[in-house]
Amino acid sequence: MAAIRTWACFLLWIGLSRQDKAPDVVVTCMVSEECVLPCSFQPGGEETVEWFKQEVMIYKFRREEGGDHGNDGNRSDSSKQVLRGPESQQLAGRASVLPQLVSHGNATLVVRGSGPKDRGTYRCHVHTSQGEHNAKVIVKVEAPISGVSLELSRLSGYEEMKCTARDVFPAPRVAWTTEPPTFQDLRPVTRVLASKGGLYKVDSRLKRLSGQPNLVYVCKVMTSYGGPAWTASLREREIRGAEGKDLTIPCSAPSYLNGPFLNWSFSDGKDLSPILTYDGRTGHSTSSPPWGDHVELDGFRVAFGDGSLRLMDPKPSEHTGSYTCVFSLQHNTHTERSAVTIEPPGGRGSSEQPSYWWIAGLVVAVLLLLVALVCLLVYLKVKGRTPKSRDDPEEATELNVAKDFTADARLAERSPMTTTTNGN
């Protein structure tokens, strides 16, 4: 029985000790915006409010007894003080409580123009005529990603993809992928730089892979606070077309973009002009007046992510340039940029129907050469089997020599007999 009473008293003591201690509160504040640190208590008169950061007092407010608002609307007598010191100087002129709310049990601290240096652990301590109250507030400061830029750069002497995000806090992380996936190692170079205000800029560069011109490069930027990741992807290509012949400029949305917004634009190297827009949610498209008679989308296929643009009756002087297609949703963009060259008649011709006459000419020349070689071999073979003519001078000379030699031999056989007879 005594043990039960002991445990009951112990639990009652724990409950009373925690009655005025509120649970920790985690607050995430946006850079350059107001940051509200909540603190509520039971009002009791003669309130003194103290705010600490990392257990160093940064703000103090005291309301005197009888100083509450009366029926005449006069403000109570009160005093507040921002203490000096490294922490308090950062909040000078930016932090305050609302005096008219303190008497109602609200000692919330409002920090204006919050920044990375305002993050940390804060403690609210309120002393009243009826007791004390403590509350802890953990402040996180964030500058969320507001956009990601992905461009093709040639400033380093070679082609590389450049992914950039600015004014982010805390420092973001970058990941690269390709579509379709490649077996080559991706070796990006990423730099994270901090500004004077404590915000970060991330610059990540990836060398363009050789031999794979149709790859889509995907850059994903993430924050450590678990906010939404931003994704930007880019594809670059070159297209040639013939004057007066319709040309299709391809553009396809990635599978992760569902019902995106589509925008086409054109640049001749000097000015940027819009071509058309398409809203994937409503299915409505609008084209700019100069382009209305020269471009069209396939209304059926664009709903499934194929935003290819059909360029009708193109002219070299008007339609040669860079065409940019952008699919966009919240936190995601996909860009395809096509360098289009429209050639006049007699030029190199359209990329869709290249000329193959030179190939046919080369094949004919090779065949003729082979026929000539075969004929030559046959001739030499036939000539090698034909006997030499008897009228050949060399052969006639050899026969004459042989005949003279035979005649001399016969004459020699007869000459001894003639000599003997004369001797007698």
Side-chain angles (χ1 to χ4, degrees), residues 12-321:
L12 180 61
W13 176 79
I14 293 177
L16 293 175
S17 63
R18 294 187 176 182
Q19 184 176 1
D20 292 333
K21 184 177 180 181
D24 295 350
V25 177
V26 179
V27 176
T28 301
C29 303
M30 299 295 109
V31 170
S32 302
E33 298 181 4
E34 283 190 351
C35 186
V36 179
L37 283 61
C39 181
S40 300
F41 62 95
Q42 291 293 333
E46 298 182 356
E47 295 89 353
T48 299
V49 179
E50 296 174 337
W51 276 95
F52 298 82
K53 180 181 180 184
Q54 311 298 120
E55 295 304 324
V56 176
M57 185 181 294
I58 58 173
Y59 185 86
K60 184 176 182 180
F61 171 84
R62 184 176 69 252
R63 192 178 69 86
E64 296 179 352
E65 178 65 25
D68 199 358
H69 290 284
N71 294 330
D72 57 358
N74 293 328
R75 175 175 290 188
S76 62
D77 294 330
S78 62
S79 63
K80 58 182 179 179
Q81 180 182 7
V82 178
L83 302 182
R84 297 184 180 278
E87 296 291 342
S88 60
Q89 289 179 0
Q90 296 176 5
L91 296 173
R94 297 193 298 120
S96 64
V97 298
L98 300 177
Q100 66 272 23
L101 298 181
V102 173
S103 60
H104 299 285
N106 189 342
T108 297
L109 183 69
V110 179
V111 180
R112 293 174 294 275
S114 59
K117 294 182 179 180
D118 295 329
R119 59 196 176 115
T121 302
Y122 292 75
R123 183 170 64 88
C124 170
H125 175 77
V126 181
H127 177 81
T128 68
S129 58
Q130 297 183 1
E132 296 184 352
H133 172 80
N134 287 280
K136 184 181 291 185
V137 180
I138 300 174
V139 175
K140 295 182 177 181
V141 177
E142 181 180 6
I145 303 170
S146 58
V148 175
S149 171
L150 182 58
E151 297 289 339
L152 177 64
S153 173
R154 298 180 176 88
L155 298 179
S156 301
Y158 51 84
E159 294 185 334
E160 62 181 0
M161 296 294 171
K162 178 181 177 182
C163 182
T164 307
R166 303 174 183 273
D167 298 332
V168 182
F169 188 88
R173 295 175 289 112
V174 179
W176 285 90
T177 56
T178 62
E179 289 292 339
T182 177
F183 294 102
Q184 298 186 32
D185 291 335
L186 302 180
R187 300 179 180 178
V189 177
T190 302
R191 296 185 301 170
V192 180
L193 305 176
S195 64
K196 293 182 179 179
L199 303 183
Y200 291 95
K201 171 189 174 183
V202 60
D203 184 318
S204 184
R205 305 192 181 201
L206 176 66
K207 188 175 181 180
R208 193 176 186 185
L209 301 180
S210 60
Q212 302 184 61
N214 293 323
L215 274 183
V216 176
Y217 293 83
V218 184
C219 173
K220 187 175 185 180
V221 183
M222 301 154 286
T223 62
S224 58
Y225 278 178
W230 283 66
T231 301
S233 53
L234 174 65
R235 188 207 311 261
E236 298 261 352
R237 61 165 61 90
E238 295 182 359
I239 300 177
R240 291 184 177 273
E243 180 179 1
K245 186 172 183 179
D246 293 357
L247 178 67
T248 298
I249 306 174
C251 182
S252 300
S255 58
Y256 57 82
L257 291 181
N258 186 16
F261 184 83
L262 171 63
N263 178 75
W264 273 98
S265 61
F266 170 78
S267 174
D268 58 359
K270 299 178 181 178
D271 301 319
L272 181 67
S273 61
I275 298 178
L276 61 81
T277 59
Y278 173 82
D279 192 337
R281 295 168 296 180
T282 63
H284 180 70
S285 63
T286 304
S287 58
S288 301
W291 293 89
D293 297 333
H294 290 281
V295 295
E296 68 175 5
L297 289 175
D298 188 326
F300 176 78
R301 301 181 66 177
V302 70
F304 295 93
D306 187 353
S308 299
L309 184 72
R310 187 171 182 83
L311 186 61
M312 299 177 291
D313 191 23
K315 297 177 175 57
S317 59
E318 299 178 12
H319 302 120
T320 294

Side-chain angles (χ1 to χ4, degrees), residues 381-403:
K381 188 174 182 179
V382 171
K383 184 178 179 181
R385 293 180 177 179
T386 303
K388 293 184 178 181
S389 175
R390 294 183 177 180
D391 295 334
D392 190 339
E394 295 181 358
E395 185 176 357
T397 302
E398 293 177 357
L399 291 175
N400 292 333
V401 172
K403 290 179 179 180

